[in-house]
Every structure is written in C-alpha cells, then in structure tokens.
Amino acid sequence: MARFDPYENNGGTCVAVAGADYCVVAADTRLSVGYSILSRDHSKIAQLADKCVLASSGFQGDIKALQKNLAAKELVYEHNHNKEMSCPAMAQLLSNTLYYKRFFPYYVFNVLGGLDSQGKGCVFTYDAVGSYERTGYSAQGTGAALMMPVLDNQLKSPSPLLLPARDAVTPLSESEAVDLVKDVFASATERDIYTGDRLEFVVINSSGTHREYIELRKD
C-alpha cells in the first residue's frame, strides 16, 4: 500500500574548514534520488551575508525553504540595524529557525562558515533540529562519515571539554586547507554514489569571498 512520505534525501556532501583569518566552505553539485541523478550542476551553497556562507545537504525542497526563510530574516535585520548580520548571529538564527520546526523538521543538515567579528574563521555544524556547535572543521551529508576521519587525522581539533578553552581554528594556511578539501572530496567521490560531478568551494577572507569549481568523478 502506498503511503505519503514528505521527505527524500537528495544526497551530496558539504565540508567547511576555518583558519586564523579565512574559512573554506565546499560542497559537490550532484542532486540524486535513489540511483537516479537529477542534476550534475546543482549548487548546495548559499551566501547569506557578506562574510557568511551556508552549505546544506538533505531534502532539496526543505533546503530551498530554509534558505528563503533565512534570507528574508537577514534582510529584515539589515533594515532594522543598518548592518549585515555577523556569522555567529546567523548561526544562532539558524539554530532557532530549525528548532522552531522541530516537530515537523526541515530535513536539512547544515554547515555554516564565515568570519566572526574579530575576523577569525568560524564553522558551525548542525543537526536537523537546531543543536549546533562551533568547531574548526565539519562535514555533513552522505559522504560525511568518509570525510570526517581524514579531517580528524589532519586537523586534530581540541576537545570542547578542555579547560581553559582552546582555539578551534585549524593550523593550516588557506591554500593548504583548499588542497585538503579537494583531497577529501576526491576520496569520498570514489566511495559514495551520491557525491560527485563537480566540487564548488567558496573561500571567505578579509578581502571578500571568491568561488571556484573543480571536476569530480561523474559515474
């Protein structure tokens, strides 16, 4: 008997790495349902503010609804305060937005990256109902379980339980972080059928943001 299911996982993987004065946010461009590829050129990255970028994996309908919701709230904030929302403020707004829908959640797994008010890189990682944490790096999506062990091995973020608190930013330079992100995606693409086609990454630093693409496996 057929039943209504409001959710579908359209696959894909998102990664973010924060450094002392930069943040790299990356995602593949494959959009899938089961064993079918619906699009090979679909962006999972949305720029919410000047120094704040959101990468999302999960159900595409909910991703679009969430991005529109956040963009509208950011615009209201901009008109009320005559400035753009900072990345930590956007992180709290995203958490509140997801938690508000906790009884019928957005089926979306988010990584938010950017620069904080001191100009340091920051990465916030989320579950579907708004629980979040500031870290030095994170991965979400279908390839996250393949990527996180490599990122843990290479970046070794200090435990948030250590006192006094340690800085979570990664020790790599901007170019080294970009190379590491390319490597983990090339590796995950070999093993995860929902990740592939093209890698889109955004680098945020004091001079602004720039977006680049590299090709991944297409099978």
Side-chain angles (χ1 to χ4, degrees):
M1 180 178 172
R3 65 186 181 89
F4 171 67
D5 186 356
Y7 294 125
E8 189 146 49
N9 191 346
N10 296 123
T13 309
C14 310
V15 168
V17 177
D21 58 354
Y22 70 86
C23 185
V24 180
V25 180
D28 70 306
T29 62
R30 180 173 291 182
L31 183 70
S32 313
V33 172
Y35 293 113
S36 301
I37 295 174
L38 302 182
S39 174
R40 296 184 185 275
D41 191 26
H42 181 84
S43 176
K44 297 180 177 68
I45 296 176
Q47 183 145 358
L48 300 176
D50 186 38
K51 299 284 172 64
C52 184
V53 171
L54 176 68
S56 307
S57 173
F59 175 45
Q60 191 52 41
D62 282 354
I63 290 171
K64 285 296 178 199
L66 178 62
Q67 288 174 355
K68 283 176 69 176
N69 191 340
L70 292 173
K73 287 178 178 173
E74 203 284 329
L75 189 62
V76 170
Y77 179 95
E78 209 173 314
H79 289 315
N80 287 341
H81 299 276
N82 206 25
K83 65 177 183 177
E84 285 199 337
M85 199 177 283
S86 68
C87 197
M90 183 65 77
Q92 184 65 60
L93 173 63
L94 176 55
S95 175
N96 293 350
T97 305
L98 293 171
Y99 188 70
Y100 180 78
K101 287 266 291 176
R102 65 192 178 279
F103 298 117
F104 186 19
Y106 289 117
Y107 189 34
V108 182
F109 302 95
N110 300 286
V111 178
L112 187 76
L115 302 183
D116 64 15
S117 51
Q118 282 85 45
K120 289 167 65 173
C122 53
V123 169
F124 299 90
T125 184
Y126 292 79
D127 71 1
V129 290
S131 176
Y132 78 111
E133 177 188 9
R134 181 171 177 169
T135 62
Y137 57 92
S138 182
Q140 291 278 18
T142 52
L146 298 168
M147 292 184 181
M148 280 307 287
V150 181
L151 294 171
D152 286 334
N153 178 263
Q154 294 296 305
L155 301 176
K156 298 183 179 69
S157 182
S159 168
L161 302 177
L162 288 176
L163 291 173
R166 306 271 186 90
D167 205 341
V169 299
T170 58
L172 302 183
S173 69
E174 185 182 305
S175 59
E176 289 171 334
V178 169
D179 288 342
L180 176 62
V181 168
K182 289 177 181 176
D183 287 344
V184 294
F185 266 97
S187 175
T189 304
E190 298 289 331
R191 295 283 178 180
D192 178 26
I193 64 169
Y194 300 112
T195 302
D197 294 314
R198 204 152 66 127
L199 171 62
E200 175 186 20
F201 60 93
V202 178
V203 180
I204 307 123
N205 53 33
S206 56
S207 58
T209 63
H210 71 273
R211 197 173 295 239
E212 292 181 38
Y213 299 88
I214 63 165
E215 296 301 313
L216 297 172
R217 281 186 68 140
K218 299 194 183 300
D219 56 355

